[in-house]
Amino acid sequence: MADPRFAIYLAPSPDSPLWHFGSRVLGYDAVSGSEMFGFAPAGIEPAVWRSMTERPRAYGFHATLKAPFRLSHAATQAELEQELVLFCRSRPAFDLGPLAVKAIGSDGGRGFAALLPTRPSPELTALEHDTVRAFDRFRAPLTGDERCLRKPDSLTARQRDSLDRFGYPHVGADYQFHMTLSAAVNAIAEIADVLADAMANEIGTAHLKVDALVLFRQDGPDQRFRVLRRFAMTGVL
């Protein structure tokens, strides 16, 4: 049996319109574990859209802070959760501001759609930096196969260093907050535009209040990630 994987993500409150919208777009609710059928941007059949969200659906609606990892043999899930409790007690909540649907990596028209912040956030930069480092002691080293999946030959020298130090190449200066809404597909700019229209029609302007870190768990490579627990950020400025 494969070891479970854990991830420390940002995610909207499960009773928020943003969580419901993002989960509907992906076709999966990572809190309940239930499938969600029927959504599609204008001009795309629901079955086609479902195929275009297959990969991100496995992870649930989220933004990455600490990318998926197996637990070190010296650590337990209970210890990880206790460390998250203590860490979040010292972190004040903050408003990330409005989010907008954008196309990422759209060279040649191919890329993926995601929600991105519309303004810089020093609080987010600090939170990502501290989360990556504070919880790295819980992470088992990458296997050779896991490292190969990150395609190290395609990374910059700095990204390869981050991959070897933290198990993930997109940290620090290479980190970009994004809440994925599609897999990599063609004509992504047009798809991002119709997703933006759908979001505006359903929930208006999306804001994300960063008031909790969310621990997700995947029980096996063929299983989807599920929300395990939310840890409220209760620190005071």
Side-chain angles (χ1 to χ4, degrees), residues 4-170:
R5 290 198 301 168
F6 298 86
I8 301 171
Y9 289 155
L10 295 178
S13 170
D15 59 0
S16 68
L18 180 57
W19 173 261
H20 186 66
F21 174 76
S23 298
R24 284 187 62 236
V25 169
L26 295 180
Y28 168 63
D29 186 316
V31 171
S32 65
S34 59
E35 302 292 315
M36 303 182 75
F37 296 98
F39 177 88
I44 301 176
E45 292 294 325
V48 174
W49 180 250
R50 192 159 181 84
S51 71
M52 295 166 70
T53 54
E54 180 177 1
R55 180 172 174 78
R57 188 179 308 124
Y59 295 87
F61 185 52
H62 75 279
T64 298
L65 284 178
K66 187 69 174 171
F69 60 92
R70 292 173 295 104
L71 276 180
S72 162
H73 292 306
T76 67
Q77 178 181 318
E79 290 169 339
L80 173 61
E81 292 191 38
Q82 181 58 31
E83 187 69 18
L84 276 161
V85 169
L86 297 175
F87 181 85
C88 289
R89 282 178 182 168
S90 69
R91 308 298 307 204
F94 60 93
D95 189 347
L96 190 57
L99 306 177
V101 181
K102 300 291 184 181
I104 297 179
S106 56
D107 290 345
R110 185 171 179 82
F112 66 96
L115 282 165
L116 274 64
T118 58
R119 67 190 188 202
S121 172
E123 298 92 344
L124 175 64
T125 299
L127 180 62
E128 185 271 339
H129 176 280
D130 294 347
T131 303
V132 165
R133 286 156 179 78
F135 295 95
D136 203 58
R137 68 184 182 89
F138 292 94
R139 179 182 63 85
L142 293 177
T143 66
D145 287 344
E146 288 170 338
R147 190 175 188 278
C148 285
L149 286 173
R150 293 294 182 183
K151 300 179 180 179
D153 291 343
S154 69
L155 302 174
T156 66
R158 182 173 65 194
Q159 290 169 342
R160 283 194 298 274
D161 180 64
S162 295
L163 179 64
D164 293 333
R165 289 181 63 195
F166 302 116
Y168 188 58
H170 306 296

